[in-house]
Amino acid sequence: MQSIWFWKDWSAAERNIFWVLTTLVILIISLFCFVYFQFPSLAFIYNQFQELELVEITLRNFDVGPSSIGVPADNLLLFETFAGSELQPTSWIYYVFLFCLTIGFIVFLSFVTTLKRFAFLAGIGLSILILANFHWESIVLFGLTNKATALVVISIYASIAYYFQSYGTHYRFNFRLLVFGAITLVLALIVVLASQVTNPFLHLAVNGLTTGIIMSIVFILMISHEITALFITIVTNSQKPTKSAAHYYIISAIYLANLLITYLIRERYIYWDIFTVNSYLLLTFSAIIGLWGVRKRESLYADSVTVFSTVTYLYLGFFLITFATVSFCFTTHSTTMMEGFNDIILFTHLAYGIIFTAYVTANFGPMLLANLPVHKILYKPSTMPFFTFRIMSLIATFAFLSFSSPLTSYFARATAAYYNAYGDVYQMQGDAITAKAYYNKSISSRNRNHHAHYALATMYASQLDPEHELKEYNNIINSTPSEITFLNYSDSYQTNDNFRAAADLLTAGLRIFPSSGVLLNAQALNYYNLNLLDSSMLYFQKARKNSFTKEAAEANLFATSALLKLKFPADSLLTLLGSTEIGAQSNAFALANIQHLPLEIKIPLTKDTVLTVGIAALISNQLINQHNKIDTALLAPILSLAKKPCNATFKEYIFLAVAHAYYTSGLVSKAFELLRELAFSTGQGKYFHLLGIWLLEQHNPSTAALYFKTAEEKKINSAAFLQALAWTEADSMARARPLWDSLTTTKNAQANSEAQFYSKIMDLKKLDVLQQPDALKYGYCRYRIPLTDSILFHEVTTSIKDEPLRIRAILDRSKNWLLHDDPMSAIRCLSILKGTTLRDKALADDILVINLMLAAEISDWSFIQNKLNQELPVGFEIEKIYWQALLDVQDGKTADATRKFNYLAIANFQFEEVMLMTAKYFFKNESDKMKPYSILVNGLLAKPNSIKLLKEYVYQSTLLGFESESVQAMAKLKKLLSPTAYQKFEREGIMPIKY
């Protein structure tokens, strides 16, 4: 064990230096492992983008006469895609590299001062070359751009080194390290204060890159035999070794065979799809075991070194520099030098391994056969000197290198890496022109140069120069293809809508990188743009298998499923995929919305101030999905979030979804308020169109027609048809007729057919009605037969054989009587249906609701109470509150009634019966008579032709002394009521002025 822990025999000062250097080495190995496994994400990252596609769906349908009207809603599909970023700023690795290089140089220079004369001269000569290679003039110290600065720096270090070697031999190694370290710190301070360039240490780091590469190669050569040397130790370092020679040659053969196979596969002599030896794993393992190997070689440098612990320090210094250099190459994606190191490590280990086996055989073959402990004398050769082994190994290495590529190519790779590093420095400083010049110089040194071509491509992209951008990407594809390049290259085609070319390019990329998630996802999106949705689904499924793109692919899979209107239930698909990510859940809601399937997913409102695309889409789609059961208390904070300026991009989507939720929950007035804000702030026709649809559903066709007219002017397709329908519903045939006539000539087949149907109703003569189909008879009953002509109505409805249509005609007429404030006539009309068996649930619900409304008109509280005790139809929440409030009044529950009527006063201005009874209640129970008056005004602003509201308005205006308002309301009633009905109201009402 003592030989393993060799440093235990050292002095405390020596151990301290050893542990400081060892700690730095451990840290740099850790950094290398980190950047290796992060490669290439420290230099390039995949930016993830989210794009929204709006798909209109029908939220629900309602009937307006013979027509079924769909309520449109926005369904947001979220597509997630990736694109390669520009070169990422990695300035920190420059400082790490410069720090390690500096420490390694200080250790090297301190070691040189301990050497004997000839070795010292060789060492100080190398030190001078290293210092000169920093090109001190490039950082313009004190404004100097000549070699004077370098001469001063070299003189300081060289003179002190000479002093230590010649006169200060009594100084310990740790003192020498401290002196050179102090000089270096002073020099660093001078650089900070006196340099006239931006980031001078970045320049020094780049200038030191050549030194780092050379010292790394020296270190690689130094340790390339360590693994085969370890085999000797393993097979001979035991108490009773047996078959040492056989074991050694078998292990060495396996090791060298693996290296040879790796070489043959890498050089494409064979095409085996097997795991091969990783060069950087070889380097790391050799470097670690070499720490003990260097101790065993003390006899080889006894003539030059006096203190053997310093050799270990030198080794650790080289170790530090080598892994800092390699880490720099990986972090900055310096592929030219990475390729060079990859080859050099493999070829040196192969060459040195083969020659070292020959060295062992020549010197210790008989001893191995005799099972003697060869490891103890491994570096005390008798036949082949160790120096000969080094020379032969070096020759073999050059042979492998030159056979793979011309030796000059390795110099070109190092030069290209140097220029790339300088290009990155200027790119980080924002000097694109100089950066571009260095990248071009790098390419001139080595055209097979992913780093430089990619940097130029992204620079051209930012300058909107697609021609040169594509040229640079093409150079990469033809030389050093990568996933990120194929991705960006295809994205350039997609940006110009050339999806076919993008598909061909991605197909080529997937042949090289068949499991690339980003390319599979991109191809799937590309097929989606080509409308090849089945292929798109297939590629999204493949992209799901990649952990990096799994979440995005699942979100896109749901989006495509929604476009395909997949029948597989959204909740089951979400459970099957098991995704809890925002994109997938948002699109799951979108698919469920298309399927009209409620999703039971409780997603808390985000606490973040700034909404992301995914969160905004999720909120919007969830509100649409759960519009009929959402807790309205949640809507206010959602609106507050959407109103923040930072969320202005998503305000429109969320406002619309919240408006739908308010509308369905019964807070119709709030829904109209939000939708009007959207309509008039954005000017988009679809919002005017939706306002018109809601007004039709609220039985306010005359106002709806005005919104449809605006929507038609804004090129909304169905607005013309709905405008004609609205005027027809408003009994304004003079306005409706020309609109129907124009629609009969439209190219839209459905609109044309419906227009012809309504035109037939308009043209139908009384004598011909009974010979028409039931649908026309129903339309004639709804639009052509006056309320006063009960005989004709009875005759036509009796002839309708379609039972649901006959019931609907009678129900429509009853509702019409109620609108004209004649509940008794409505009851008589509805009594025709007494005893009729109702098979249509929607019709049955409709009849129950109107019966309850009529019961409220005639104060039949027992009927209302009885029905409320039963299960009422879904979707009539406001009506239920209204009926319960009326019962509370009858039961003397004033507090409960007041609370309910306060809610009803603001819930739905379009609901005239509610507005009327609310105004009456507060007129009777409130001292402030302006409150009920305001409720009436709100109701009349929503429905200016409401007969019921106008009558109450006349009454309250008269009592409040608003004579002119009362007169105006009476004038309006005179136009709306039949002479008989008007005269009846005159007799019964309060008339401040005689007409």
Side-chain angles (χ1 to χ4, degrees):
M1 292 296 291
Q2 191 68 17
S3 62
I4 296 177
W5 317 120
F6 56 82
W7 53 84
K8 287 189 175 182
D9 296 331
W10 295 355
S11 66
E14 289 176 322
R15 286 200 303 271
N16 289 336
I17 298 172
F18 173 78
W19 284 117
V20 169
L21 291 174
T22 302
T23 301
L24 291 176
V25 164
I26 292 171
L27 290 174
I28 200 64
I29 291 176
S30 302
L31 176 64
F32 170 69
C33 292
F34 170 74
V35 299
Y36 180 84
F37 288 109
Q38 291 293 317
F39 178 82
S41 63
L42 294 176
F44 317 105
I45 61 172
Y46 289 107
N47 292 320
Q48 189 167 349
F49 298 99
Q50 296 175 316
E51 299 175 1
L52 287 178
E53 183 169 329
L54 191 150
V55 176
E56 189 176 280
I57 60 169
T58 300
L59 196 60
R60 65 180 183 283
N61 290 283
F62 64 92
D63 291 332
V64 177
S67 298
S68 179
I69 307 300
V71 179
D74 285 353
N75 208 26
L76 301 179
L77 299 181
L78 183 69
F79 286 95
E80 298 191 12
T81 185
F82 299 88
S85 69
E86 295 182 350
L87 280 171
Q88 298 299 295
T90 51
S91 57
W92 60 270
I93 194 63
Y94 286 75
Y95 295 108
V96 170
F97 168 71
L98 183 61
F99 173 78
C100 293
L101 181 63
T102 302
I103 296 297
F105 171 72
I106 291 172
V107 172
F108 174 74
L109 188 56
S110 300
F111 171 78
V112 166
T113 63
T114 66
L115 297 176
K116 296 178 181 178
R117 179 68 58 182
F118 179 77
F120 168 75
L121 292 176
I124 199 66
L126 288 174
S127 300
I128 291 171
L129 288 176
I130 291 171
L131 288 169
N133 198 48
F134 277 103
H135 299 290
W136 298 92
E137 67 278 4
S138 66
I139 61 174
V140 195
L141 281 178
F142 302 105
L144 298 174
T145 57
N146 51 32
K147 300 293 183 181
T149 306
L151 290 174
V152 172
V153 172
I154 289 170
S155 298
I156 293 171
Y157 279 101
S159 59
I160 294 175
Y162 177 73
Y163 172 78
F164 280 134
Q165 197 277 335
S166 300
Y167 304 104
T169 53
H170 59 283
Y171 288 112
R172 292 185 177 182
F173 190 82
N174 57 345
F175 180 77
R176 303 180 191 211
L177 282 175
L178 288 174
V179 170
F180 285 121
I183 293 170
T184 304
L185 284 175
V186 172
L187 182 59
L189 183 62
I190 293 171
V191 169
V192 171
L193 298 175
S195 176
Q196 296 181 10
V197 299
T198 307
N199 301 320
F201 290 113
L202 296 184
H203 291 264
L204 289 175
V206 176
N207 292 334
L209 185 59
T210 304
T211 298
I213 291 171
I214 294 171
M215 295 182 77
S216 299
I217 293 172
V218 170
F219 183 73
I220 292 168
L221 295 173
M222 186 191 306
I223 62 172
S224 293
H225 71 288
E226 292 291 353
I227 294 177
T228 47
L230 177 65
F231 296 155
I232 288 290
T233 304
I234 291 172
V235 300
T236 64
N237 188 20
S238 63
Q239 292 182 352
K240 294 180 179 180
T242 59
K243 299 181 180 180
S244 298
H247 291 159
Y248 171 71
Y249 288 117
I250 290 171
I251 296 173
S252 297
I254 294 171
Y255 166 68
L256 294 172
N258 274 280
L259 293 184
L260 183 60
I261 291 170
T262 301
Y263 169 76
L264 294 173
I265 291 174
R266 191 174 296 177
E267 294 301 311
R268 298 185 180 180
Y269 291 110
I270 58 176
Y271 295 90
W272 294 354
D273 186 16
I274 61 172
F275 176 79
T276 56
V277 178
N278 185 287
S279 295
Y280 294 99
L281 180 62
L282 277 179
L283 173 65
T284 305
F285 189 60
S286 300
I288 293 172
I289 63 175
L291 182 61
W292 284 267
V294 75
R295 295 296 302 169
K296 293 181 178 181
R297 297 195 292 273
E298 288 181 356
S299 58
L300 298 176
Y301 35 76
D303 292 339
S304 302
V305 178
T306 55
V307 182
F308 291 106
S309 60
T310 58
V311 178
T312 304
Y313 304 150
L314 178 67
Y315 182 88
L316 291 171
F318 272 86
F319 196 135
L320 191 65
I321 291 171
T322 300
F323 277 84
T325 305
V326 175
S327 297
F328 179 90
C329 293
F330 271 89
T331 305
T332 60
H333 199 268
S334 185
T335 50
T336 57
M337 205 56 233
M338 285 162 56
E339 291 172 357
F341 277 130
N342 206 17
D343 288 350
I344 291 169
I345 294 167
L346 176 63
F347 298 158
T348 54
H349 277 72
L350 183 57
Y352 276 68
I354 293 170
I355 304 302
F356 190 80
T357 303
Y359 165 83
V360 170
T361 303
N363 290 303
F364 312 108
M367 298 178 69
L368 276 175
L369 291 171
N371 298 317
L372 297 175
V374 174
H375 69 280
K376 294 182 178 180
I377 57 170
L378 186 60
Y379 298 105
K380 296 177 180 178
S382 59
T383 304
M384 178 191 286
F386 193 77
F387 177 76
T388 304
F389 152 72
R390 288 285 191 192
I391 294 297
M392 291 177 65
S393 298
L394 191 61
I395 293 170
T397 299
F398 278 118
F400 279 119
L401 289 172
S402 59
F403 197 74
S404 173
S405 300
L407 289 177
T408 54
S409 71
Y410 293 96
F411 294 102
R413 293 174 187 183
T415 305
Y418 171 81
Y419 287 132
N420 278 336
Y422 247 128
D424 290 350
V425 168
Y426 284 104
Q427 180 81 321
M428 284 186 277
Q429 293 175 358
D431 187 351
I433 296 174
T434 307
K436 189 183 294 184
Y438 273 106
Y439 290 136
N440 283 318
K441 288 185 74 173
S442 178
I443 291 170
S444 65
S445 297
R446 175 77 171 171
N447 187 51
R448 184 183 168 86
N449 192 332
H450 186 286
H451 185 107
H453 283 303
Y454 187 90
L456 288 172
T458 54
M459 290 173 71
Y460 287 129
S462 65
Q463 295 167 3
L464 302 179
D465 187 351
E467 181 181 350
H468 286 92
E469 177 194 2
L470 295 179
K471 181 181 177 183
E472 296 299 335
Y473 282 138
N474 192 59
N475 283 330
I476 300 175
I477 296 298
N478 293 329
S479 57
T480 54
S482 64
E483 295 174 61
I484 203 167
T485 304
F486 275 110
L487 186 66
N488 285 7
Y489 200 174
S490 64
D491 186 60
S492 298
Y493 283 122
Q494 290 174 357
T495 303
N496 296 309
D497 295 332
N498 192 350
F499 299 110
R500 177 53 60 190
D504 293 340
L505 185 64
L506 288 169
T507 300
L510 286 168
R511 280 197 290 267
I512 302 173
F513 307 102
S515 60
S516 169
V518 290
L519 296 186
L520 288 167
N521 186 70
Q523 185 70 296
L525 288 169
N526 202 57
Y527 282 142
Y528 162 74
N529 287 311
L530 289 168
N531 205 32
L532 300 173
L533 298 183
D534 290 336
S535 297
S536 179
M537 292 277 284
L538 176 62
Y539 274 83
F540 282 136
Q541 287 281 16
K542 292 180 179 180
R544 279 189 65 238
K545 297 176 182 178
N546 186 293
S547 59
F548 180 71
T549 55
K550 182 178 184 295
E551 296 170 6
E554 287 177 350
N556 294 336
L557 189 63
F558 268 110
T560 312
S561 299
L563 288 170
L564 283 170
K565 298 183 179 178
L566 194 69
K567 300 298 182 184
F568 194 81
D571 53 352
S572 300
L573 182 59
L574 189 61
T575 303
L576 182 65
L577 296 180
S579 179
T580 57
E581 295 303 313
I582 288 172
Q585 291 198 336
S586 173
N587 287 339
F589 274 117
L591 176 60
N593 292 342
I594 290 173
Q595 296 173 342
H596 296 285
L597 175 70
L599 278 188
E600 298 298 330
I601 301 176
K602 301 297 181 185
I603 301 175
L605 181 63
T606 177
K607 296 180 181 179
D608 296 330
T609 302
V610 181
L611 292 175
T612 63
V613 177
I615 290 291
L618 178 61
I619 291 173
S620 177
N621 289 342
Q622 184 188 18
L623 288 176
I624 293 298
N625 184 264
Q626 301 174 356
H627 67 97
N628 55 351
K629 57 181 179 180
I630 195 79
D631 183 358
T632 53
L634 293 175
L635 299 179
I638 291 175
L639 276 178
S640 177
L641 197 62
K643 287 178 181 178
K644 294 183 181 295
C646 57
N647 297 323
T649 306
F650 312 115
K651 176 181 175 181
E652 190 177 331
Y653 305 127
I654 295 176
F655 263 45
L656 181 59
V658 170
H660 277 295
Y662 272 135
Y663 185 91
T664 311
S665 68
L667 294 175
V668 175
S669 298
K670 280 191 174 182
F672 271 101
E673 181 184 345
L674 284 176
L675 195 56
R676 285 195 186 98
E677 182 180 341
L678 280 179
F680 291 104
S681 63
T682 67
Q684 291 192 47
K686 69 176 185 179
Y687 299 128
F688 291 95
H689 181 251
L690 181 56
L691 281 167
I693 289 174
W694 280 355
L695 286 164
L696 264 184
E697 191 176 20
Q698 294 295 322
H699 310 294
N700 193 350
S702 56
T703 309
L706 300 176
Y707 281 106
F708 287 133
K709 186 175 186 302
T710 304
E712 183 188 6
E713 291 169 355
K714 294 180 180 294
K715 310 299 182 186
I716 301 298
N717 289 334
S718 60
F721 164 76
L722 290 173
Q723 184 188 354
L725 179 61
W727 285 126
T728 305
E729 285 288 312
D731 201 22
S732 182
M733 300 304 171
R735 292 181 174 179
R737 187 53 194 266
L739 293 174
W740 289 126
D741 290 342
S742 65
L743 284 168
T744 56
T745 61
T746 184
K747 294 180 180 179
N748 186 312
Q750 183 178 353
N752 188 294
S753 174
E754 295 212 44
Q756 290 185 18
F757 173 79
Y758 280 98
S759 294
K760 286 179 182 178
I761 294 174
M762 302 299 107
D763 294 336
L764 196 58
K765 294 183 178 173
K766 184 176 180 180
L767 296 175
D768 299 330
V769 174
L770 299 180
Q771 286 76 43
Q772 302 303 317
D774 285 347
L776 282 174
K777 290 177 183 177
Y778 168 72
Y780 191 83
C781 288
R782 183 177 178 90
Y783 300 119
R784 296 289 304 282
I785 301 178
L787 279 175
T788 53
D789 196 344
S790 57
I791 297 173
L792 178 60
F793 178 78
H794 177 73
E795 184 179 2
V796 176
T797 52
T798 304
S799 70
I800 298 176
K801 296 179 181 179
D802 187 325
E803 189 68 2
L805 274 182
R806 186 182 74 83
I807 294 170
R808 179 62 64 189
I810 296 168
L811 185 59
D812 288 349
R813 196 167 186 82
S814 180
K815 289 180 179 179
N816 208 355
W817 279 116
L818 187 58
L819 285 173
H820 282 76
D821 197 24
D822 192 343
M824 299 313 297
S825 295
I827 292 170
R828 283 194 296 273
C829 181
L830 203 58
S831 66
I832 300 171
L833 298 176
K834 193 172 184 179
T836 304
T837 303
L838 297 172
R839 295 183 178 85
D840 188 322
K841 187 179 183 306
L843 268 177
D845 291 345
D846 216 355
I847 290 173
L848 174 59
V849 170
I850 194 171
N851 273 317
L852 284 164
M853 296 301 295
L854 289 169
E857 293 283 337
I858 62 173
S859 304
D860 187 352
W861 310 120
S862 60
F863 177 81
I864 296 175
Q865 184 66 68
N866 182 47
K867 294 300 180 183
L868 286 180
N869 290 336
Q870 302 172 17
E871 186 176 350
L872 290 178
V874 176
F876 295 94
E877 281 69 23
I878 290 295
E879 287 86 347
K880 293 174 189 176
I881 296 171
Y882 166 61
W883 296 321
Q884 189 60 59
L886 294 176
L887 290 178
D888 287 343
V889 173
Q890 302 309 310
D891 295 339
K893 298 177 181 177
T894 307
D896 290 341
T898 300
R899 178 173 51 81
K900 290 183 177 70
F901 278 119
N902 273 322
Y903 175 80
L904 293 170
I906 60 171
N908 186 359
F909 297 157
Q910 303 287 335
F911 201 156
E912 50 193 287
E913 285 84 4
V914 168
M915 298 300 288
L916 174 65
M917 295 304 293
T918 304
K920 284 184 175 182
Y921 174 81
F922 285 120
F923 193 81
K924 181 179 179 180
N925 294 283
E926 286 277 346
S927 58
D928 181 10
K929 301 305 179 184
M930 289 305 298
K931 180 175 181 177
Y933 181 79
S934 298
I935 293 170
L936 284 174
V937 170
N938 286 334
L940 284 169
L941 285 172
K943 286 191 172 180
N945 294 326
S946 170
I947 293 171
K948 292 181 177 183
L949 293 177
L950 282 169
K951 286 181 178 180
E952 183 65 19
Y953 183 76
V954 169
Y955 175 72
Q956 292 194 19
S957 296
T958 302
L959 293 180
L960 290 171
F962 300 152
E963 294 184 0
S964 61
E965 284 79 4
S966 179
V967 169
Q968 291 174 10
M970 283 299 294
K972 202 165 194 178
L973 279 170
K974 192 170 186 179
K975 294 179 181 178
L976 295 171
L977 293 171
S978 65
T980 305
Y982 180 75
Q983 289 170 7
K984 181 182 178 183
F985 177 67
E986 259 190 327
R987 288 193 303 270
E988 296 174 354
I990 296 177
M991 301 298 305
I993 299 175
K994 290 189 177 181
Y995 290 82

